Amino acid sequence: MKLKKFSYLIFSSAISILSVSCSKDYLEVDPMGTYLESNYYQNEEQAFSGLVAVYDILGKETRGFENMITFMNAASDDHYAGGGGPDDGAGIHAFSHFTISPSTIPTSYWDDYYQGVFRANVLLSKLPEVPMGDQTRNRFIAETKTLRAYFYFQLVRMFGNIPLITTPLETADIYGVTQSPKADVYAQIEADLESAKEHLPMTVDIGTEGGRLTRGAAQALLGKVYLYDNKNAQAAQELAEVNGEPGGTSVYGYQLLPNFSDLWNFENIFNSESILETTNTNQSNADWGFWGSGADEGNSVNIMVGPRSYVRSAGSTAPDFAPGWSFNVFTENFFDVMQGDPRMDATIANLKAWKQAGEIDYALGDQDTGYYLRKFMPLNENATDGGGALELNYQQHVYMIRLADTYLLEAEALGGTGARAQALLDAVRARVGLPTIPVSLEAIMHERRLELAGEGHRYFDLVRTGNAAQELGEFGFVSGKNEVLPIPLKELDNTLLVQNPNY
């Protein structure tokens, strides 16, 4: 039904590829104790390890300093980049001010998702010949196609003008790759998801298959993709099945949680509102030597959004937050917009007020407003009891797609009019005790801003609706340029790739 605890299984590639260059003067021996790609995927177990390696790339959402959540938040009008200073994370600050360039963009936002694409392409090429049952094979193929679709969706949203690669490439062939029209990329994403959803299970057993994709996750992603591709009728059709009756329980078992703040409880994983969810653990023993390399499984967003040198005064009733690095502080404007909204206390930690009251003290970070992203702020009680660095081993899962998101996406796909669009908007508001308001596209976008604050959606929402120049202009956004990121400079060297306009 949802993305479960799959990371606890393996989340590292089981494949070792050995290449040796030598002359005939040296002995030629078969590699021992490892597998070559050419002789791997010999059974279902090896195919499953390959599948886990594809899933691993989903960790990009929250893992390492260059994660999706903090990067995309920084480019919205709701957040400042924050951190210790203007040089603390050059890429995230450059994106926040829209001075980002081919030389300052962190290359991992291109590399990591293409690594996922390459892993998926290899696995898809091997699965037809693996001795295994057809039902299991079809499920593996469907999962891999869904993951490849997700990776391409992230890439096309970020970079726009990207290569479309659907088969394994030899190293030498990579230099001859060219970019494809955006329409072709979306067509491939949609084809993968349409094909995949028929072979994915309706539900999974969390205890034994936590983390594996289901039909509901693929269908929700497909509906979102159709909306981005301006296919509103198809988007509404897919999302309607995912959502079911507004405020009720869908065929997949999805249902809004009664209490909004429960969404951010570290222990409340794989709940009824979760459709696509990252999986993080505090038991991976991540340490500084390999943090962000793909070998760690902690949630880096947690430490990044925490306040620097946070301490409580004697007898303080303020939350016992763990200290962090002060990224993604909310803007004063967003704090004002949230005034009176029942979601405010679960969304914003008002350190400014607590400090003025003598309840706490903390070190001010860059552009510090005192308004912190509470959804992801860990408490000291969330600290790992395993090995590794405490700061790198927080376990909070993060939603990539949740039901309130798909309710509002469907309402938008319906054009922001009609009884169903009204019911979808009302259900999101009723969950937090807000009264009905007339549905419109403007009302839906405002609700998305408040409901999904700090979850990495706002920049993409502004760009796809054509509102980015108006809302982000004061931060440096340039129309015709900053709707997409620059392609990293090293990807252009000795290749046929062409840089995005105006970079």
Side-chain angles (χ1 to χ4, degrees):
M1 184 184 305
K2 319 168 186 72
L3 200 63
K4 316 296 186 188
K5 295 187 292 184
F6 202 33
S7 66
Y8 301 156
L9 300 176
I10 305 175
F11 259 175
S12 61
S13 176
I15 306 168
S16 297
I17 301 174
L18 178 65
S19 61
V20 178
S21 176
C22 60
S23 71
K24 290 296 181 180
D25 294 333
Y26 293 91
L27 290 175
E28 293 183 344
V29 298
D30 293 329
M32 301 297 293
T34 188
Y35 286 99
L36 297 174
E37 181 189 340
S38 59
N39 60 23
Y40 202 68
Y41 304 105
Q42 297 300 304
N43 53 51
E44 183 179 326
E45 181 181 2
Q46 292 179 354
F48 181 72
S49 294
L51 177 60
V52 171
V54 185
Y55 268 99
D56 186 46
I57 303 302
L58 290 179
K60 182 68 176 173
E61 197 74 12
T62 59
R63 189 169 59 205
F65 190 79
E66 295 174 3
N67 61 74
M68 285 292 292
I69 294 286
T70 53
F71 190 61
M72 302 316 302
N73 280 347
S76 82
D77 53 336
D78 294 342
H79 298 271
Y80 296 121
D87 297 323
D88 187 8
I92 193 170
H93 278 274
F95 195 21
S96 181
H97 300 302
F98 298 103
T99 58
I100 198 161
S101 69
S103 59
T104 60
I105 179 173
T107 59
S108 68
Y109 291 98
W110 177 283
D111 292 347
D112 287 1
Y113 284 120
Y114 268 113
Q115 183 182 59
V117 167
F118 294 157
R119 290 182 184 182
N121 288 343
V122 169
L123 184 58
L124 289 170
S125 73
K126 300 291 186 179
L127 282 171
E129 305 303 321
V130 177
M132 58 198 301
D134 287 342
Q135 185 175 356
T136 301
R137 185 195 326 277
N138 288 338
R139 183 181 180 186
F140 281 20
I141 290 172
E143 288 174 281
T144 308
K145 285 185 174 182
T146 301
L147 292 166
R148 182 172 68 178
Y150 183 79
F151 303 150
Y152 267 127
F153 185 49
Q154 295 289 68
L155 285 164
V156 76
R157 290 198 299 169
M158 284 193 288
F159 297 100
N161 190 25
I162 62 171
L164 178 61
I165 304 167
T166 58
T167 58
L169 289 180
E170 298 292 335
T171 302
D173 295 334
I174 293 175
Y175 298 97
V177 169
T178 58
Q179 286 134 308
S180 299
K182 187 183 294 186
D184 291 353
V185 178
Y186 272 103
Q188 182 63 52
I189 295 170
E190 291 156 11
D192 274 349
L193 292 171
E194 288 283 6
S195 169
K197 67 181 184 178
E198 304 302 325
H199 297 287
L200 291 169
M202 295 286 287
T203 62
V204 298
D205 185 322
I206 293 175
T208 60
E209 293 192 321
R212 299 188 71 171
L213 289 163
T214 62
R215 176 172 173 146
Q219 196 163 13
L221 178 57
L222 178 59
K224 189 168 186 174
V225 169
Y226 276 141
L227 186 63
Y228 273 72
D229 198 20
N230 299 310
K231 297 178 179 178
N232 286 15
Q234 294 98 313
Q237 181 179 347
E238 297 295 334
L239 292 168
E241 187 169 341
V242 172
N243 292 333
E245 188 66 24
T249 304
S250 78
V251 295
Y252 296 112
Y254 302 137
Q255 184 179 29
L256 293 176
L257 292 183
N259 189 347
F260 177 80
S261 63
D262 287 346
L263 285 162
W264 319 111
N265 184 328
F266 276 36
E267 304 303 320
N268 193 21
I269 60 176
F270 311 130
N271 57 65
S272 65
E273 191 166 337
S274 175
I275 298 175
L276 190 60
E277 178 177 325
T278 66
T279 55
N280 298 295
T281 175
N282 63 0
Q283 299 296 308
S284 72
N285 299 333
D287 220 326
W288 299 106
F290 57 85
W291 174 54
S293 68
D296 57 310
E297 301 302 333
N299 184 340
S300 298
V301 176
N302 294 144
I303 186 64
M304 290 183 71
V305 303
R308 291 175 176 265
S309 304
Y310 179 89
V311 292
R312 296 191 299 171
S313 304
S316 173
T317 59
D320 188 23
F321 292 127
W325 302 341
S326 70
F327 282 90
N328 282 177
V329 291
F330 284 109
T331 63
E332 294 88 345
N333 173 262
F334 182 76
F335 179 78
D336 292 340
V337 169
M338 281 290 291
Q339 291 298 314
D341 191 280
R343 292 162 289 204
M344 184 167 184
D345 286 346
T347 301
I348 301 175
N350 190 346
L351 271 65
K352 181 178 182 180
W354 289 324
K355 184 169 183 173
Q356 289 174 346
E359 292 272 332
I360 65 155
D361 196 13
Y362 73 100
L364 302 184
D366 189 53
Q367 295 182 286
D368 195 284
T369 60
Y371 308 131
Y372 278 68
L373 179 48
R374 187 166 189 168
K375 289 179 177 179
F376 305 131
M377 289 171 65
L379 300 170
N380 279 315
E381 68 186 45
N382 301 128
T384 179
D385 56 6
L390 181 149
E391 298 91 341
L392 308 182
N393 287 279
Y394 288 106
Q395 76 273 28
Q396 186 182 20
H397 292 197
V398 171
Y399 312 103
M400 290 178 274
I401 304 177
R402 60 182 176 92
L403 193 60
D405 179 14
T406 57
Y407 271 22
L408 295 172
L409 289 174
E410 185 192 345
E412 181 184 344
L414 292 168
T417 62
R420 182 166 173 88
Q422 182 72 65
L424 289 161
L425 176 61
D426 286 349
V428 174
R429 292 176 59 81
R431 187 257 294 276
V432 295
L434 288 170
T436 183
I437 58 173
V439 69
S440 65
L441 290 177
E442 292 77 14
I444 292 166
M445 293 310 299
H446 181 72
E447 202 67 32
R448 286 185 64 81
R449 185 181 187 187
L450 301 185
E451 172 73 23
L452 303 171
E455 297 177 53
H457 299 281
R458 177 69 174 170
Y459 167 80
F460 287 129
D461 281 349
L462 290 174
V463 168
R464 69 182 173 81
T465 58
N467 292 313
Q470 175 181 332
E471 302 299 334
L472 300 175
E474 65 179 287
F475 299 96
F477 184 96
V478 176
S479 182
K481 175 182 179 180
N482 295 126
E483 290 84 358
V484 292
L485 288 162
I487 297 172
L489 193 61
K490 77 178 187 66
E491 299 299 331
L492 303 177
D493 290 344
N494 300 314
T495 73
L496 300 181
L497 300 186
V498 177
Q499 185 56 268
N500 282 325
N502 299 315
Y503 280 106

